[in-house]
Amino acid sequence: MEETKKFHERITTDGYTLVLPQGLRKKSFEILNETAFPTTKTEAWKYTRTTRISNGTFQLVKPEINSVSDYLIEGLQGNVLVFVNGFYQAELSIIKDTKGLLVSPLTETTQEWINAHSNQQVQLEGEVFNALNTAFTTDGVSIEIAKNAIIKEPIQLIYVTTGTAVLSSVRNIIVANENSDATIVMGYYGERADSNFTNVVTEIKVKQNASLSIHKIQHENNTNFHINTETVSQDRDSRFSLSTSTFSGAIVRNNVYVHVDGENAETNLYGLYLTDEKQLVDNHTVIDHKVPNCNSNELYKGVLDGQSTGVFNGKVFVREQAQKINAFQSNGNVLLSDNASMNSKPELEIYADDVKCSHGSTTGQIDEEAIFYLRARGISEKSAKSLMINGFVGEVVEQISNEIIREHITKLMAKKLGYSFE
Amino acid sequence: MIKIDNLHTSINGKEILKGLNLEVKAGEVHAIMGPNGAGKSTLASVLAGREEYEITDGNVTFDGKDLLELSTEDRAREGLFLAFQYPVEIPGVSNVNFLRTALNEKREYLGQDPISAKDFMQMVRDKSKIVELDSKLANRSVNEGFSGGEKKRNEIFQMAMLEPKLAILDETDSGLDIDALRIVATGVTKLKSEDNATIVITHYQRLLDYIVPDYVHVLYNGRIVKTGPKELALELEEKGYDWIKAEFGE
């Protein structure tokens, strides 16, 4: 398509090395030239306009920043990798020799490893943002957790975007081998950033009986565009949890695809979004149950203020062979303003006959009667609202089992909502 | 303690209270009875500060302050407590977190230091005994999934925690079985002192067997039309309100 071709030709790469295999990149450019940006007529993008991205002119810029102390989670002792505008910043990163853990930027990962693990399940055909990511990725992380390795300290990945009209194109590849256990925090932040576009694809493989928890924090500036795609595949007896906490960003779109390929696997997806101004936060999830005896659980909650818009679309497929599946999905929203809106669409597509599945969605205003009740006990209106909002989204935060990460996210939540907790 | 003088209020243009006068002194228990629609719950709501009601005339002085000028939360911090007829369920907010916030905001308003976590928990244990409230309920979300009786006991538990000067019980007895009624009423009686006062709004005389009032007022058509000793309640129970309506009807 002409528009997409022009879009990618406008991106100035300034001679930076692009890391994904040449053949894949070539294929991605071919796809880009044939694929239009999604419009609101595209079912999966019904509520999310991408014209502000497609009309933009972006550039790859490798800057330096002096410090990431604002983004580091205090109390975590593990590896820290910092990427600024999609480029690895070695001097701000802390690589520790950790038994059973291989972690490095893609630019320092062997081509064999990248070839072996990249684009295992990333759909390129018809997917502009995945193809763009594949064509323009400058860096990202490669993580491989060895068989039987228990990585106690969470790995922190910090992605900062800075400058104006900058494209950050990041690819992360995570492989959790058999019986391993690890936790990863991925934080996306904006620093003096204006109209930047961050486009991330993370590929995740959770092998037999492995446990992997990923916590995503989205905190870029409110003029930034952020598209974030995870493709996950789970083998038998594995456990995978993903939490997505979105605080800022002009447009934030999360695409989560989980392929449950092995029996007795457990999948947990949690989401929390606090929006204001003209933000748009769109969470699309797909859990594909292909085999029997698995559990999946999805809980997304949002508080929307100002003129912001929220979108939740959660799809669960239960294939014909996939008997004895328990799949639960729930989305709850509170609108704090008359001009905020929420579009929620939980979907179950079930082809098996012996399954337990449920989904629910609620959107409402804050209960004024409850506010009065709290005030009648001497609690100010502001504290009353805080208590109620915290009570509402607290259910999501409570699912984060690592206490340090949970407290960090609680603090960000309090800051965004303008109150503090003890 | 509280002096209500010629209070007129309306909602959506309809006048409900039409010149209500009432004075309650420290140490006293006043019962307010009356037929449906007389304005009993309106009086409770207006005193607590519900904003839907328009005050068209009159004054309310609470412990020397102009009550009607205070926000709902400041009325509570000054020592006014309303036990709700329909306590609200608040999912996700635990009873203890709610009460600690309430207590500390009151203390801050009064220029006192916040209560320590240890003292607070001891207080929760002591006060929950007054209404025989399972202390496990304290950790649950406010009123969520509570039975009718538990909700009303929770109201009195909150009253015990906040130690108000004036408690207004808005039909706290409605819908309670006799055991729950006894527990609630006993709790209220235990909290009674020379320094505080209670206004009991009720339909039923039986509550007054447990909480013995110093005065019984009959509220009818937006005014207190009759005041008497506790025996008046028995008379109302026996004869109903028709004779009141006949005497004071328009």
Side-chain angles (χ1 to χ4, degrees), chain A residues 131-171:
Chain A
L132 261 179
N133 176 276
T134 308
F136 286 99
T137 285
T138 49
D139 213 339
V141 73
S142 69
I143 295 177
E144 183 164 2
I145 305 137
K147 194 173 169 179
N148 300 324
I150 312 287
I151 309 302
K152 283 213 177 78
E153 282 296 332
I155 303 159
Q156 285 191 77
L157 307 173
I158 294 173
Y159 305 87
V160 182
T161 177
T162 182
T164 303
V166 171
L167 169 69
S168 299
S169 193
V170 174
R171 173 68 61 104

Side-chain angles (χ1 to χ4, degrees), chain A residues 165-302:
Chain A
V166 171
L167 169 69
S168 299
S169 193
V170 174
R171 173 68 61 104
N172 302 301
I173 305 172
I174 301 165
V175 179
N177 284 305
E178 290 81 354
N179 311 317
S180 66
D181 191 307
T183 299
I184 299 169
V185 192
M186 306 172 108
Y188 296 89
Y189 301 93
E191 189 168 303
R192 297 186 311 278
D194 184 24
S195 308
N196 290 0
F197 172 32
T198 302
N199 186 27
V200 185
V201 173
T202 301
E203 299 182 66
I204 299 160
K205 175 84 186 159
V206 193
K207 292 197 183 169
Q208 190 173 337
N209 200 35
S211 282
L212 182 67
S213 296
I214 296 185
H215 304 290
K216 265 196 306 179
I217 298 166
Q218 297 174 319
H219 214 313
E220 295 185 349
N221 300 55
N222 265 1
T223 60
N224 285 16
F225 313 114
H226 185 96
I227 310 263
N228 201 311
T229 302
E230 275 100 13
T231 64
V232 185
S233 70
Q234 282 188 259
D235 289 349
R236 66 171 301 137
D237 305 324
S238 66
R239 292 158 301 278
F240 175 71
S241 291
L242 173 70
S243 77
T244 303
S245 305
T246 310
F247 299 101
S248 45
I251 297 174
V252 177
R253 164 71 176 234
N254 291 298
N255 302 301
V256 181
Y257 303 93
V258 184
H259 303 270
V260 188
D261 299 322
E263 285 194 41
N264 194 37
E266 183 187 308
T267 311
N268 298 300
L269 304 181
Y270 305 112
L272 161 75
Y273 40 97
L274 307 177
T275 62
D276 57 17
E277 298 177 3
K278 290 186 175 173
Q279 279 184 266
L280 185 146
V281 175
D282 179 346
N283 282 296
H284 265 66
T285 67
V286 177
I287 299 178
D288 193 349
H289 285 292
K290 298 174 184 171
V291 294
N293 299 312
C294 292
N295 292 310
S296 69
N297 180 30
E298 224 174 316
L299 175 67
Y300 277 73
K301 280 192 160 187

Side-chain angles (χ1 to χ4, degrees), chain A residues 315-369:
Chain A
K315 225 179 229 174
V316 176
F317 290 103
V318 181
R319 306 287 174 182
E320 201 177 342
Q321 305 304 318
Q323 301 293 357
K324 306 277 182 197
I325 294 292
N326 291 319
F328 303 106
Q329 190 185 68
S330 161
N331 174 229
N333 304 285
V334 169
L335 304 179
L336 293 181
S337 128
D338 291 341
N339 298 317
S341 63
M342 181 67 207
N343 306 286
S344 178
K345 193 177 176 193
E347 287 178 79
L348 295 173
E349 276 192 36
I350 302 170
Y351 302 97
D353 52 21
D354 184 13
V355 300
K356 230 188 268 173
C357 298
S358 72
H359 62 102
S361 169
T362 58
T363 298
Q365 258 127 31
I366 204 156
D367 182 356
E368 288 298 331
E369 188 59 22

Side-chain angles (χ1 to χ4, degrees), chain B residues 8-136:
Chain B
H8 289 255
T9 64
S10 55
I11 187 163
N12 303 325
K14 188 172 184 280
E15 190 170 46
I16 310 284
L17 299 182
K18 302 171 181 174
L20 187 138
N21 296 300
L22 178 69
E23 183 169 7
V24 177
K25 296 197 172 75
E28 293 178 350
V29 176
H30 289 236
I32 295 177
M33 302 183 75
N36 286 328
K40 300 190 300 292
S41 283
T42 298
L43 175 63
S45 295
V46 168
L47 293 180
R50 257 191 213 279
E51 279 148 15
E52 303 91 285
Y53 293 91
E54 196 191 343
I55 317 277
T56 50
D57 202 2
N59 294 304
V60 181
T61 314
F62 177 58
D63 216 22
K65 291 200 169 66
D66 182 353
L67 185 81
L68 302 177
E69 287 300 308
L70 298 174
S71 66
T72 295
E73 50 269 40
D74 283 350
R75 294 178 196 200
R77 293 162 181 171
E78 288 285 349
L80 183 96
F81 181 89
L82 170 66
F84 280 55
Q85 184 177 2
Y86 304 111
V88 184
E89 298 194 6
I90 311 180
V93 179
S94 77
N95 243 338
V96 282
N97 195 13
F98 152 57
L99 276 170
R100 196 153 62 110
T101 308
L103 206 59
N104 281 336
E105 290 205 9
K106 179 179 179 174
R107 292 172 74 102
E108 191 185 343
Y109 178 84
L110 298 174
Q112 299 166 349
D113 287 335
I115 187 167
S116 76
K118 185 168 166 271
D119 291 349
F120 176 77
M121 287 321 292
Q122 188 58 47
M123 195 171 168
V124 167
R125 278 191 292 273
D126 295 345
K127 304 286 184 178
S128 53
K129 279 183 201 136
I130 294 176
V131 282
E132 300 176 31
L133 194 69
D134 188 335
S135 55
K136 281 192 209 101

